[in-house]
Amino acid sequence: MEDKQEVSKKKATDPKDFTTCEATARMITKARKDGVELAFDRAANMKACPIGADSACCKHCAMGPCRLNAKDPYSKVGVCGATIDTIMSRNFARMVAAGGAAHTDHGMSMLDLFREVVNGNIKDYKIKSPTKLEAVAQSIGIETEGREISDIAMDLYEELERTYTQVEGEIPFAQRVPAKTLETWRKLGIVPRGAMREIMELMHRSHMGVDQDYANITKQCSRTALADGWGGSMVATEISDILYGTPSPVAIEVNMGVLKEDQVNIIVHGHEPNLFESVLESVNEPTLVQAAKDAGAKGINLVGMCCSGAEMLVRHGIPHAGNFMSTEAVLVTGAVDAMVVDVQCIKQALVKVAECYETPLITTNPRCKIEGATHIEFHEHDPKACTDELVIKAIGRFKNRKVPIEIPKIVNSGVHGFSHEYINYMLGGTFRASYTPLNDNIINGRIRGVAGVVGCTNPRVKQDWIHVELVKELIKNDVLVVQTGCSQVALAKAGLTTPEAAHLAGPGLKEVCETVGMPPVLGLGSCVDNSRILIACAEMVKTGGLGDSLADLPVAGCAPEYMSEKAICIGQYFVASGVYTVFGVTFPIVEGTKFHKHLFEELEKQGLGKWGFATDPYEIARLMIAHIDKKRKALGIDKARERTLVDMADRRAMDAA
Ligand code: NFS
Ligand code: SF4
């Protein structure tokens, strides 16, 4: 575990050691000149606590806090007698609970909005995709034939509310889980009832003196995490599609060069699309556009960051300025006339950086106020009251711009917006939309397997570098990569989300990409859109030929630069769903302990997936590919790949002759 804090140890002074994002590196240099501190510098100056990094400490009661020795994990216990396995699994449980709560609370906000739209109490939003509404309703057994959209919608609302509030039974989207996987969950007692109940029970069980059996705690971790992946997050994604439209491929632009010196630049950085959709309306309001022009601007330029940015990117092609580790750096350009935030991943330091560049930092959600920021509360019943006002604030800042502006003129383009529905259509064609071609290409070996590369960026490792190197290595080995969250923005900046990037893929994947005209790296959306990956996997099982359960699929997942508790929860629901999931940076567990063995080995034997850990991108790729090959072998399709690749070489030789 020596390589855990590469950056902080070095006290790196060269911004290139902090990031491979050229624009961010330039802004780090500028910030230093301007005397402004960023998270990169704070990470270098704040050595991560090694006991905490190993999760070997407990502060669940006032007899402690207790610190155990990670080097000799069984030499000590806490004052209450808690062993290292209990302490680590309880800490892990609390991360799962917090991460799951974040996604499910977001999903519940979406559902609140949906209910009010269906009731007719909210008029500023409407059901944009009745087709998606019907498809989701049908997927959980709601009758749609010959019925009014509003009636179907009301039934759907009532069903989906159970995702959160149900005290007994199974959450509605459990019906989408392949039968054999569901059977395994039932046997283990981990089918979620309702998210509120699971999170509550997990908090209870990780309290001092309750569940002190790491394997039993892990079960409730799985149940809670599944209530996120197949519950809260999936509801967030599906309702967003119903209200705002299902993504389909769209040409996009990313990086700081999307800011325009001669326009009013507004950045929305957050997670709930409700706010962003309404800001989009406001910036197109003729009176506000005129006001911007009167202030001397060419127009209003709306740009996203982080996850709601990723959603607007895939859904509407709204430009994206950068991922999590660029949110402070983008303010250093001096070009941001307002940064608007809602919930999650919003660094408190943004207040100070924004102040240095006279940018209004505006909080909008009652759940997330930040000392020193301007709060303009957003209400779905009257969304424009907030979003018009913040646009006016931005115009005001533009008019009175005093700080010098320096925008790194870097813009990368790509194609994003590959919903699981679209993957269907893209590979299957209009008349035979299905996952059959994807499965066929996996079975015949052109595509070796599918990898989800997702998650955050983290100043403890070089920004974007691991994401990009890992993905390059995967596609080179014919692994099709699907992406969400901050990771997809890293790859978009690296230019890998264009169809032309197919030349970086191995011969099999390259052939498929060229035939279909798709990039080898598919951007799906925000972190809650990881649920799209679950649905795609379920479709692959249903389509046939790749086993009966999710655990049979030749797939793997990874969050190589993760930082948030949400990422841990996502990791746990992928593992519980049957996917091998590798994390980087640091893993909050001591190696060689029983709990470690449980997560990294034993869960797989129960028919679930398992965790993996590595910090080096090539090592991560090796682990993921080895797992994919293991699954191919178990399915009896390992030989096909050799044949296909030989065929192709033969064919090329023939072409050349
Ligand atoms: Ni996901 Fe989105 Fe980014 Fe990480 Fe944060 S923005 S929900 S948690 S940092 S990927
Ligand atoms: Fe220490 Fe046990 Fe209290 Fe944790 S719960 S702080 S291990 S005494």
Side-chain angles (χ1 to χ4, degrees):
M1 300 245 155
E2 258 69 55
D3 51 0
K4 266 187 183 172
Q5 291 125 32
E6 289 151 18
V7 172
S8 62
K9 244 193 248 164
K10 251 192 271 167
K11 293 245 172 204
T13 46
D14 185 353
K16 296 265 162 68
D17 287 342
F18 286 147
T19 180
T20 49
C21 172
E22 169 69 29
T24 304
R26 277 193 222 165
M27 289 305 105
I28 295 172
T29 306
K30 179 170 185 291
R32 286 180 181 166
K33 262 196 309 226
D34 298 344
V36 176
E37 190 189 61
L38 305 181
F40 294 101
D41 309 300
R42 288 191 298 275
N45 295 326
M46 165 103 58
K47 195 174 179 308
C49 165
I51 302 167
D54 283 330
S55 221
C57 56
C58 177
K59 54 182 181 69
H60 290 198
C61 88
M63 294 188 283
C66 301
R67 277 170 299 154
L68 269 53
N69 183 354
K71 299 236 155 45
D72 191 4
Y74 294 102
S75 62
K76 268 211 283 190
V77 293
V79 174
C80 67
T83 62
I84 190 127
D85 296 303
T86 296
I87 289 173
M88 292 185 303
S89 57
R90 280 196 307 218
N91 288 338
F92 192 79
R94 295 249 160 142
M95 284 191 268
V96 170
H103 286 145
T104 50
D105 199 31
H106 162 181
M108 195 149 201
S109 296
M110 301 303 303
L111 209 53
D112 284 338
L113 171 62
F114 181 59
R115 181 191 59 239
E116 293 298 275
V117 169
V118 177
N119 283 339
N121 294 333
I122 287 183
K123 308 247 186 276
D124 287 88
Y125 302 88
K126 48 183 164 306
I127 293 173
K128 193 162 170 192
S129 178
T131 328
K132 177 88 192 208
L133 173 80
E134 286 184 356
V136 178
Q138 283 161 9
S139 79
I140 53 172
I142 295 171
E143 183 58 53
T144 57
E145 199 56 41
R147 296 185 67 202
E148 291 288 328
I149 285 294
S150 56
D151 292 338
I152 302 170
M154 209 53 229
D155 282 0
L156 181 64
Y157 171 77
E158 276 164 18
E159 269 301 292
L160 292 185
E161 196 193 61
R162 296 200 289 118
T163 304
Y164 302 89
T165 55
Q166 179 172 267
V167 291
E168 226 177 11
E170 297 178 350
I171 54 169
F173 285 145
Q175 294 170 65
R176 291 176 160 186
V177 180
K180 196 168 157 218
T181 302
L182 190 58
E183 194 188 303
T184 307
W185 292 359
R186 285 182 180 146
K187 207 172 72 210
L188 292 168
I190 59 170
V191 189
R193 293 159 293 184
M196 289 174 172
R197 174 135 213 197
E198 304 312 348
I199 294 166
M200 178 170 66
E201 185 173 319
L202 191 56
M203 291 304 284
H204 174 197
R205 283 164 65 167
S206 55
H207 185 277
M208 184 271 154
V210 189
D211 204 347
Q212 289 154 105
D213 175 332
Y214 64 90
N216 204 40
I217 294 173
T218 306
K219 276 192 190 171
Q220 186 58 19
C221 287
S222 296
R223 205 178 195 184
T224 306
L226 291 171
D228 171 1
W230 296 87
S233 280
M234 201 173 275
V235 168
T237 294
E238 300 295 52
I239 295 293
S240 303
D241 283 358
I242 291 169
L243 292 175
Y244 308 127
T246 305
S248 61
V250 56
I252 56 95
E253 288 191 336
V254 295
N255 219 327
M256 290 191 202
V258 300
L259 296 173
K260 305 268 181 343
E261 181 149 10
D262 53 5
Q263 296 199 25
V264 177
N265 292 304
I266 300 177
I267 290 186
V268 183
H269 154 31
H271 284 79
E272 295 184 358
N274 307 357
L275 169 74
F276 210 144
E277 292 280 347
S278 183
V279 181
L280 180 57
E281 297 266 308
S282 289
V283 299
N284 285 307
E285 194 66 58
T287 52
L288 291 175
V289 175
Q290 191 53 49
K293 291 197 170 139
D294 294 345
K298 278 232 176 88
I300 307 174
N301 183 34
L302 179 61
V303 168
M305 286 192 97
C306 286
C307 275
S308 52
E311 266 187 57
M312 298 300 276
L313 181 81
V314 302
R315 207 172 266 125
H316 306 297
I318 301 284
H320 198 290
N323 56 27
F324 176 68
M325 276 317 291
S326 302
T327 55
E328 290 172 317
V330 80
L331 295 171
V332 179
T333 60
V336 184
D337 297 301
M339 180 179 266
V340 186
V341 300
D342 53 18
V343 289
Q344 301 172 21
C345 301
I346 301 147
K347 300 183 193 83
Q348 187 163 1
L350 288 173
V351 173
K352 204 146 171 230
V353 182
E355 203 180 273
C356 294
Y357 297 95
E358 295 166 15
T359 296
L361 182 78
I362 302 166
T363 54
T364 56
N365 194 297
R367 296 170 182 81
C368 172
K369 293 189 178 184
I370 307 177
E371 213 183 320
T374 306
H375 190 74
I376 306 176
E377 200 147 305
F378 175 76
H379 298 283
E380 276 99 356
H381 291 85
D382 187 12
K384 290 296 198 54
C386 164
T387 55
D388 286 358
E389 191 185 335
L390 63 88
V391 173
I392 292 166
K393 274 226 158 27
I395 295 171
R397 194 276 188 177
F398 177 89
K399 211 163 146 184
N400 299 304
R401 274 185 191 176
K402 284 192 250 0
V403 297
I405 289 174
E406 183 185 327
I407 302 171
K409 298 267 178 304
I410 305 170
V411 179
N412 311 99
S413 49
V415 182
H416 289 235
F418 298 90
S419 51
H420 54 88
E421 288 90 344
Y422 195 82
I423 294 175
N424 220 3
Y425 165 78
M426 171 172 71
L427 290 160
T430 326
F431 300 110
R432 47 180 198 113
S434 85
Y435 272 71
T436 308
L438 175 63
N439 281 27
D440 284 350
N441 277 310
I442 293 173
I443 293 164
N444 70 28
R446 280 192 191 88
I447 296 177
R448 189 175 199 151
V450 181
V453 180
V454 306
C456 329
T457 52
N458 181 328
R460 298 286 172 202
V461 295
K462 197 190 284 179
Q463 182 191 10
D464 296 348
W465 185 72
I466 312 178
H467 288 294
V468 173
E469 291 305 306
L470 166 62
V471 170
K472 277 191 191 158
E473 197 63 20
L474 289 169
I475 62 171
K476 199 166 89 190
N477 285 284
D478 292 321
V479 176
L480 175 67
V481 174
V482 293
Q483 293 212 282
T484 60
C486 289
S487 185
Q488 76 172 327
V489 175
L491 269 296
K493 285 189 290 179
L496 264 82
T497 58
T498 58
E500 294 72 41
H503 77 272
L504 296 169
L509 178 60
K510 182 168 168 231
E511 192 191 349
V512 175
C513 289
E514 283 172 350
T515 310
V516 182
M518 70 178 195
V521 179
L522 306 178
L524 266 51
S526 65
C527 278
V528 293
D529 293 330
N530 280 318
S531 59
R532 297 189 199 275
I533 302 179
L534 294 177
I535 298 173
C537 288
E539 287 294 322
M540 284 162 72
V541 174
K542 214 194 291 165
T543 301
L546 293 174
D548 316 319
S549 82
L550 295 171
D552 294 335
L553 293 171
V555 303
C558 182
E561 303 183 21
Y562 92 100
M563 63 88 199
S564 81
E565 292 171 316
K566 287 178 286 174
I568 292 283
C569 188
I570 293 168
Q572 185 64 25
Y573 75 61
F574 270 104
V575 167
S577 296
V579 180
Y580 175 49
T581 305
V582 186
F583 268 38
V585 190
T586 180
F587 205 90
I589 294 187
V590 179
E591 266 186 81
T593 55
K594 287 186 269 181
F595 181 52
H596 190 277
K597 189 162 188 240
H598 191 61
L599 294 189
F600 282 67
E601 292 170 34
E602 287 164 4
L603 291 181
E604 189 177 42
K605 294 186 192 123
Q606 298 177 353
L608 308 176
K610 65 176 174 184
W611 283 91
F613 171 73
T615 54
D616 175 73
Y618 314 107
E619 172 62 8
I620 299 174
R622 195 190 62 73
L623 291 170
M624 293 170 80
I625 293 166
H627 180 82
I628 286 170
D629 286 349
K630 180 175 101 177
K631 293 294 173 187
R632 292 189 67 89
K633 192 155 184 214
L635 290 165
I637 56 172
D638 49 329
K639 295 283 179 306
R641 210 180 121 68
E642 287 155 32
R643 268 200 307 278
T644 306
L645 294 178
V646 170
D647 284 355
M648 291 193 44
D650 285 353
R651 218 168 42 220
R652 259 195 303 273
M654 273 158 51
D655 287 349

